[in-house]
Amino acid sequence: MKKSLILLTFASILSFGLMAQKISGVVKDESGKPFAGATVTLVKAADSATVKFGLSKADGTYSFETLPAGDYHVKISHIGFSNTFTKPVNVAAADVAVADISMKKQQGDLGAVVVTAKKPIVEIKADKTILNVEGTINSVGTDALELLRKAPGVMVDKDDNLSLSGKNGVRVYIDGKPSPLAGADLADYLKSMQSSNVEAIEIITNPSAKYDAAGNAGIINIRLKKNKSLGTNGSVNAGWGIGKFPKYNAGINLNNRGKKLNVFGNYNYSYTKGLGTMESYRSLSDTIFDGKNTMINKSMNHSYKAGVDYYINSKQTVGVVVNGMINDNSLRSNSVTNIMFEPTKAAVRNLVAGNQNNGNRDNINANVNYRFADKGKELNIDADYGRYNINSDQLQPNIYYDLNNNELYRNVYNMKSPTHIDIYSLKTDYETDFKKGKLGFGAKVGFVNTDNDFKRYNVFGAAKQYDSARSNQFEYKENINALYVNYNKQYKGVMVQAGLRVEQTNIQGDSYGFSYDTTVKKFLPYQGGFDRDYIGFFPSIAVTFNKNPLSQWGLSASRRVDRPAYQDLNPFEFKLDDYTYMKGNVDLKPQYTNSIGITHSYKYKLNTRLNYSHVTDIFAQLLDTADISKTFMSKQNLASQDVVSLNVSYPFMKKQFTSFININSSYSKYKADYGPGRKIDIDVFTVGLFMQNSLKFAKTWTVELSGWFNSPSVWQSTLKSKSMGGADLGLQKTVLQSKGTIKASMGDIFNSLRWAGSSDFTGQNTRVRGTWESRVFRVNFSYRFGNAQVKAARQRKAALEEEQKRTQQGGNGPGQ
């Protein structure tokens, strides 16, 4: 593996050659007038490999600058015009002027012409990696968390926490909007999002100043589907899967795009039921806990989206979008824990716990947006509101038996925990031509209000008694005000982008209830909280050396922050079972990351990224002892983390066969000292491999094989995990004149997905392992209907406006 990485990195350096000044030409129509908007593609004469592409300008001209010497073909094409016009070109050391090309209209009716384009599985860009999951076979019937588990460089641990290239602190965006959820709430939300509703996953490792500063490891933007076709059209889909239990999903997507108005909407439904297992062995002080747990989870989910874009004129657009989700879920777990005396390993008693958790969550988000663009100036204004309601009703019986299976005693608890989150934000971005470059600046004001009311009851038979000492209400308010400026300019052979974001953070937390005092070993009334405000400065810079387009280098540096989630700040002590507690930390500080990176792109295919990050006050979930044989979990700030990561990717295409491989490696060093027996000194080298292959045959058939592997790593800074990986196999056939698609897939074909880890901290030795229902057979059918006519100019303009809108959410400079 190490030799492969060295060879790939070395190959990415060999690319410089002789340079020409420029290839240029003019495209005209039949009457000899300039022809705008024709697709111009420059390919190598030897193998027709694409070198660059562009569009002819308003005066019909096009140009390609600074190219290596060699033989090329210039291809000109446009919808509605006959054939593709090709001109051979030989590039030596001087400018090359291509003879004028005249376009001729195609004869006949274009009413039945359908334009289709297949995106590559993975796109590597200067600032991000894009995983286009919409067209993949093996993504059908899964959820967003499973898609992330297989994404290049992304790791999901046993508690469903996300990390990216060895760093935690990943910020998740949905359609360019940051999600307020974190931890278990975020994981549950992603599990309820069906893959059929996801168009692409963008992994942004070096965000520009336009993005919020939050997200130490970077940003994962989940882009949901939106129909961009003209006229009235839509699609329907339905799927079924079977593992240990059956799963179902279905959806509909409708769109009407006209000259002045675009109305769109979709609805998706899914039902899943899955099986998971977990085994744990925990040794502390004089007691050993050896437990086995079986879990069955159910989830029924409804998601919807509706919106309208109104084109006031060619310069102005206003839009409204509403989307949301309604989810009902349940978890049934049955665990048996053997409790032993550590010195002799003799069994003492058994604990049987049958946990039942019924929950529901719903959220609604509304966005009003305005866009103005004219003559190098662009203004975007977004106003957003979001409401999240999360409810949990958990019954937890703990029954103790002696070694003859006679009941000794029981503790039964009922926990109810409603949570409400309100989000308000107003954002404006402005960009204009300035000094032969692009100057952008903007502002954002955001508010998050959270109210969590945790009620615990002691259950005696059919009766319940409210336990005020174990109940808690936590109110959390967050306000972040931000300003940013960003500038990018293309010099001769060098693109430079620099930006600065300033964020003022105001947070307030109020907790009401009782807290366990480990000194006096009893509950004491707690009424209080915290109130903080601080300002952070987050510079970013990126330089791209693009004199030779076939061998581009990039340098980047940035500073980012990751703020604690509200659950991690709540000082209340939550009892998970009779021996395990979870407690927040009001002293938890933000963690900051300073990163520098080098990127290289060779022939637009071999992409290499080397990055170093230094993280201060890194978050870590620590297991500490309390009351001798009891354990509590809480987040602490570790002293530091240093991460060096190397990412190499390469796509391969040969006729009907396509392949993509991504290798992501990282070295992490964790270090902290909390006193005797409470030291952390862990270093780990991790390698992640992602590969996807597809072969099209017999015109309508496609087979796909994908796989991923992660070597041993560290989860949550203290738990050493073992390696894990799996492979998926899928088959696709197009039917009904290519309007229908049937996909069948088998996930985890070798049934190899297992997780395991170990930790040794504060005199507590822990070993855990588990599985989830990963081996699932799925079949899906989708059908497109509606207007198939294409008006080329409007189609191209609509696609361009959509791309510009998406770019405005986070900047469009190189190396962001």
Side-chain angles (χ1 to χ4, degrees):
M1 181 67 73
K2 291 182 180 178
K3 290 183 178 179
S4 300
L5 286 173
I6 294 171
L7 289 173
L8 285 171
T9 306
F10 178 74
S12 70
I13 300 174
L14 305 177
S15 58
F16 290 97
L18 295 175
M19 305 298 294
Q21 293 302 310
K22 183 166 62 175
I23 294 177
S24 61
V26 179
V27 184
K28 298 180 178 180
D29 62 16
E30 291 177 296
S31 63
K33 295 180 180 180
F35 189 96
T39 300
V40 186
T41 308
L42 184 68
V43 301
K44 298 182 72 172
D47 56 7
S48 298
T50 300
V51 178
K52 296 191 75 174
F53 63 90
L55 296 175
S56 60
K57 299 178 182 179
D59 58 359
T61 61
Y62 63 88
S63 64
F64 301 111
E65 297 186 6
T66 58
L67 297 167
D71 293 320
Y72 299 90
H73 284 161
V74 175
K75 295 186 176 183
I76 313 291
S77 61
H78 193 277
I79 298 172
F81 288 77
S82 58
N83 301 322
T84 297
F85 298 86
T86 304
K87 292 283 186 180
V89 178
N90 176 264
V91 174
D95 292 353
V96 178
V98 182
D100 294 352
I101 296 177
S102 297
M103 306 290 288
K104 294 182 180 180
K105 286 188 177 181
Q106 181 176 332
Q107 302 298 317
D109 183 17
L110 287 178
V113 174
V114 179
V115 178
T116 60
K118 184 178 180 181
K119 295 180 180 178
I121 298 168
V122 178
E123 297 177 78
I124 305 294
K125 297 191 176 183
D127 63 326
K128 58 191 170 187
T129 299
I130 304 174
L131 181 63
N132 293 304
V133 301
E134 182 177 12
T136 60
I137 304 170
N138 291 325
S139 67
V140 297
T142 61
D143 56 55
L145 189 66
E146 283 301 301
L147 293 179
L148 291 178
R149 194 186 301 275
K150 302 172 185 177
V154 179
M155 186 176 294
V156 184
D157 70 13
K158 70 178 184 66
D159 297 319
D160 296 330
N161 296 300
L162 300 174
S163 62
L164 182 59
S165 297
K167 295 180 288 184
N168 60 15
V170 180
R171 191 70 189 270
V172 174
Y173 282 49
I174 309 296
D175 274 343
K177 313 293 182 184
S179 170
L181 303 178
D185 289 338
L186 175 62
D188 290 340
Y189 177 75
L190 294 175
K191 288 176 184 177
S192 64
M193 181 182 295
Q194 282 300 292
S195 61
S196 59
N197 203 28
V198 177
E199 177 182 338
I201 295 172
E202 299 176 342
I203 303 169
I204 307 169
T205 53
N206 187 28
S208 73
K210 279 189 176 182
Y211 287 95
D212 292 354
N216 273 356
I219 292 169
I220 296 177
N221 181 36
I222 299 176
R223 215 165 67 214
L224 303 181
K225 291 181 180 178
K226 182 179 179 181
N227 197 320
K228 308 175 188 69
S229 302
L230 294 170
T232 301
N233 45 72
S235 64
V236 293
N237 69 84
W240 173 84
I242 185 68
K244 296 292 184 181
F245 302 100
K247 304 110 176 31
Y248 314 93
N249 67 278
I252 184 170
N253 183 13
L254 296 171
N255 183 80
N256 181 278
R257 182 187 287 270
K259 183 177 181 180
K260 300 287 289 185
L261 201 65
N262 177 40
V263 181
F264 55 91
N266 61 57
Y267 166 78
N268 288 275
Y269 166 82
S270 66
Y271 170 83
T272 61
K273 183 178 181 180
L275 174 68
T277 65
M278 184 174 74
E279 298 179 12
S280 64
Y281 183 92
R282 198 172 71 211
S283 172
L284 67 160
S285 187
D286 61 350
T287 308
I288 295 175
F289 301 90
D290 187 3
K292 293 180 174 58
N293 192 5
T294 301
M295 299 157 286
I296 297 177
N297 61 78
K298 295 180 183 179
S299 178
M300 183 170 61
N301 188 71
H302 306 264
S303 63
Y304 57 89
K305 182 177 184 179
V308 58
D309 294 321
Y310 176 67
Y311 305 100
I312 302 172
N313 50 44
S314 61
K315 303 176 183 178
Q316 301 180 83
T317 306
V318 64
V320 178
V321 182
V322 176
N323 64 75
M325 187 178 295
I326 302 172
N327 174 265
D328 291 301
N329 57 81
S330 66
L331 175 66
R332 301 289 184 272
S333 66
N334 292 287
S335 67
V336 177
T337 302
N338 299 320
I339 304 173
M340 295 174 281
F341 183 55
E342 205 280 334
T344 63
K345 305 295 189 296
V348 177
R349 59 187 181 275
N350 296 321
L351 167 62
V352 177
N355 189 299
Q356 302 178 33
N357 191 350
N358 296 314
N360 61 76
R361 60 182 61 239
D362 63 82
N363 75 277
I364 184 169
N365 303 284
N367 167 265
V368 179
N369 58 82
Y370 170 81
R371 177 175 180 264
F372 172 85
D374 182 45
K375 297 180 180 179
K377 296 179 173 61
E378 184 164 344
L379 172 67
N380 286 271
I381 301 175
D382 285 89
D384 290 272
Y385 169 73
R387 169 77 173 185
Y388 291 76
N389 298 307
I390 305 170
N391 294 284
S392 174
D393 187 349
Q394 181 180 359
L395 180 65
Q396 183 179 293
N398 299 281
I399 307 174
Y400 293 86
Y401 296 87
D402 62 19
L403 300 183
N404 295 318
N405 207 31
N406 298 312
E407 182 176 329
L408 299 174
Y409 59 95
R410 63 174 58 199
N411 299 319
V412 184
Y413 314 109
N414 178 215
M415 286 81 75
K416 297 185 178 183
S417 180
T419 300
H420 306 287
I421 305 174
D422 289 288
I423 307 164
Y424 311 83
S425 70
L426 178 64
K427 183 182 73 166
T428 180
D429 302 289
Y430 181 73
E431 191 173 72
T432 183
D433 294 336
F434 181 75
K435 299 287 186 180
K436 297 183 180 181
K438 281 286 185 182
L439 175 66
F441 50 89
K444 181 179 179 180
V445 178
F447 296 88
V448 178
N449 298 328
T450 303
D451 185 2
N452 176 262
D453 189 9
F454 179 85
K455 293 183 173 67
R456 176 172 145 167
Y457 300 86
N458 297 317
V459 180
F460 306 97
K464 292 193 301 184
Q465 182 181 26
Y466 179 66
D467 188 348
S468 60
R470 298 284 189 177
S471 300
N472 169 264
Q473 183 173 4
F474 184 60
E475 297 175 354
Y476 176 77
K477 296 180 180 180
E478 179 181 271
N479 163 230
I480 299 177
N481 306 303
L483 296 171
Y484 79 87
V485 61
N486 198 68
Y487 182 72
N488 65 76
K489 183 177 180 179
Q490 176 69 54
Y491 296 90
K492 189 174 182 179
V494 180
M495 170 71 82
V496 178
Q497 176 185 274
L500 175 65
R501 188 177 186 92
V502 182
E503 293 189 348
Q504 181 206 27
T505 303
N506 307 288
I507 60 173
Q508 178 184 336
D510 295 298
S511 182
Y512 309 96
F514 292 79
S515 180
Y516 186 79
D517 190 314
T518 56
T519 303
V520 298
K521 297 181 181 179
K522 67 178 182 179
F523 287 92
L524 300 177
Y526 181 89
Q527 295 183 3
F530 53 88
D531 193 346
R532 299 178 195 157
D533 60 86
Y534 50 92
I535 295 178
F537 295 85
F538 306 97
S540 63
I541 186 170
V543 181
T544 303
F545 300 92
N546 52 16
K547 185 176 182 180
N548 181 358
L550 298 184
S551 180
Q552 299 190 46
W553 290 87
L555 299 173
S556 63
S558 65
R559 174 177 168 83
R560 300 189 62 77
V561 66
D562 198 29
R563 301 176 181 88
Y566 75 90
Q567 303 99 320
D568 298 329
L569 294 170
N570 187 0
F572 181 70
E573 186 176 274
F574 296 91
K575 185 174 183 178
L576 303 180
D577 59 41
D578 281 352
Y579 293 93
T580 311
Y581 300 81
M582 181 176 289
K583 183 179 181 180
N585 178 9
V586 295
D587 296 322
L588 196 62
K589 298 180 292 185
Q591 62 181 19
Y592 292 90
T593 298
N594 295 297
S595 299
I596 56 174
I598 302 174
T599 61
H600 181 249
S601 178
Y602 178 66
K603 291 187 176 181
Y604 301 100
K605 290 186 176 181
L606 180 59
N607 295 277
T608 308
R609 179 183 292 119
L610 178 66
N611 186 270
Y612 167 74
S613 297
H614 177 71
V615 188
T616 57
D617 294 323
I618 183 176
F619 300 151
Q621 182 167 283
L622 303 184
L623 301 177
D624 210 344
T625 54
D627 197 18
I628 303 178
S629 62
K630 297 182 180 180
T631 301
F632 71 84
M633 297 182 293
S634 67
K635 288 283 183 72
Q636 302 284 343
N637 291 111
L638 280 180
S640 65
Q641 178 193 19
D642 292 284
V643 183
V644 179
S645 63
L646 175 66
N647 184 282
V648 181
S649 64
Y650 185 81
F652 175 80
M653 300 180 67
K654 183 73 172 180
K655 294 183 179 180
Q656 301 299 318
F657 175 75
T658 62
S659 178
F660 176 84
I661 183 171
N662 180 276
I663 301 173
N664 190 81
S665 60
S666 65
Y667 171 80
S668 300
K669 177 73 173 179
Y670 303 85
K671 197 171 184 64
D673 188 349
Y674 292 103
R678 305 178 76 240
K679 295 181 179 180
I680 297 174
D681 190 356
I682 300 175
D683 61 326
V684 62
F685 176 75
T686 302
V687 176
L689 174 67
F690 172 85
M691 179 178 285
Q692 186 143 325
N693 309 279
S694 65
L695 175 65
K696 188 174 182 179
F697 61 96
K699 294 184 179 180
T700 60
W701 289 88
T702 304
V703 63
E704 182 178 282
L705 176 65
S706 60
W708 62 277
F709 169 81
N710 287 325
S711 69
S713 62
V714 174
W715 293 342
Q716 293 296 297
S717 305
T718 59
L719 187 68
K720 296 181 179 180
S721 73
K722 294 187 176 181
S723 60
M724 61 187 301
D728 303 331
L729 180 65
L731 186 66
Q732 171 182 297
K733 179 175 174 55
T734 57
V735 296
L736 304 176
Q737 298 179 335
S738 297
K739 292 184 177 181
T741 303
I742 301 173
K743 299 179 181 180
S745 66
M746 174 65 80
D748 191 17
I749 54 179
F750 301 114
N751 201 26
S752 59
L753 287 180
R754 304 283 190 276
W755 61 264
S758 61
S759 172
D760 190 357
F761 184 69
T762 65
Q764 178 176 203
N765 184 279
T766 303
R767 300 195 303 271
V768 291
R769 65 179 182 178
T771 65
W772 72 95
E773 194 173 313
S774 56
R775 193 177 192 181
V776 178
F777 173 76
R778 297 180 174 91
V779 61
N780 182 274
F781 173 74
S782 61
Y783 178 76
R784 296 178 291 106
F785 58 87
N787 187 3
Q789 291 185 349
V790 173
K791 295 182 180 179
R794 287 171 58 192
Q795 181 85 353
R796 189 169 62 253
K797 180 181 178 182
L800 180 60
E801 288 179 349
E802 184 66 30
E803 181 62 28
Q804 288 174 335
K805 270 188 175 183
R806 185 178 300 144
T807 304
Q808 283 301 316
Q809 294 170 353
N812 59 355
Q816 293 172 353

